[in-house]
Structure formats: structure tokens, C-alpha cells
Amino acid sequence: DTHWWTSLVQMIKHPMLQSQYHKLLVQVRFHELRVHFLKANNLPVKFRVSDYLMKQELHVFQKIVHISTFAWIMIAAAINLCYFLMGIVTYTTESQRIVGTTLSWIFIG
């Protein structure tokens, strides 16, 4: 594919233009997504998507923070216990692959 080659040549020839191009590309993509969001939800053109996103981010953060202190302590304890037990498994079996697979399965699913 010649696209990556052309990009590389342009970046070497015109580094400032390439940087500016990428900054503008991010803005254009944001506005494309904004228009799509407005149309999909039948919202007015003057609707401030950035304010909406900030409010939603704050809402999610507040939900996370409202987990009780006891629950946070239990989560931390469970993770520490898991790492401790995996350390024992590593020490006795000398197999880091088992531990890596197990921890990946636990934390990633």
C-alpha cells in the first residue's frame, strides 16, 4: 500500500503542515460525530454536545465514587489476596505462564 509511504514523504517534506493536518482532522471528526449524534437523537443544532459529554462523564464518575468504603476495601483486599496466591503458585510451580493466563482470565474475562 502506497498510502503510508506518501504519508511518510509528506511528513518529512512538510512536518508543520502534517501536524496541522492531524489537528484539523481531529476537529473535523469531532464535528462529524457531533452532527451524527444530534441527528440520531433529534436534538437541535445549538445543542452543546461538549457540555453533555462533561455531564455524562461526571455522572459516571459519581456512580463509581458512591461505592461504599467497605466495598472499595474488599475489592483491594481481594486483588491483593489474588496476587499473593498467584505469587505462591509461581514460587511452587515456577511457571509464570499459568499465573499470567489466570490473571488475564480474572481481570479481562
Side-chain angles (χ1 to χ4, degrees):
D1 189 41
T2 61
H3 177 69
W4 70 270
W5 179 254
T6 307
S7 272
L8 180 64
V9 170
Q10 291 299 325
M11 188 170 46
I12 293 170
K13 281 184 170 180
H14 310 286
M16 297 300 286
L17 286 177
Q18 196 72 9
S19 174
Q20 187 177 8
Y21 168 79
H22 286 290
K23 288 178 185 176
L24 290 173
L25 186 61
V26 169
Q27 290 178 359
V28 167
R29 286 184 178 159
F30 172 78
H31 287 291
E32 285 177 346
L33 287 171
R34 179 183 178 277
V35 169
H36 176 71
F37 178 78
L38 294 176
K39 285 182 179 179
N41 294 294
N42 296 322
L43 296 169
V45 176
K46 294 198 178 221
F47 183 80
R48 295 185 53 99
V49 175
S50 58
D51 290 344
Y52 170 77
L53 291 174
M54 292 292 283
K55 287 179 184 176
Q56 290 304 312
E57 184 179 40
L58 180 63
H59 179 71
V60 170
F61 182 68
Q62 286 173 340
K63 279 187 169 183
I64 291 172
V65 171
H66 283 309
I67 295 174
S68 69
T69 306
F70 179 74
W72 280 114
I73 291 171
M74 293 284 64
I75 290 169
I79 290 171
N80 281 323
L81 179 63
C82 180
Y83 276 116
F84 176 73
L85 293 174
M86 289 298 110
I88 293 172
V89 170
T90 302
Y91 182 75
T92 56
T93 64
E94 296 180 3
S95 173
Q96 293 179 355
R97 179 177 229 170
I98 294 171
V99 174
T101 304
T102 305
L103 289 176
S104 295
W105 185 82
I106 289 171
F107 291 111
I108 297 173

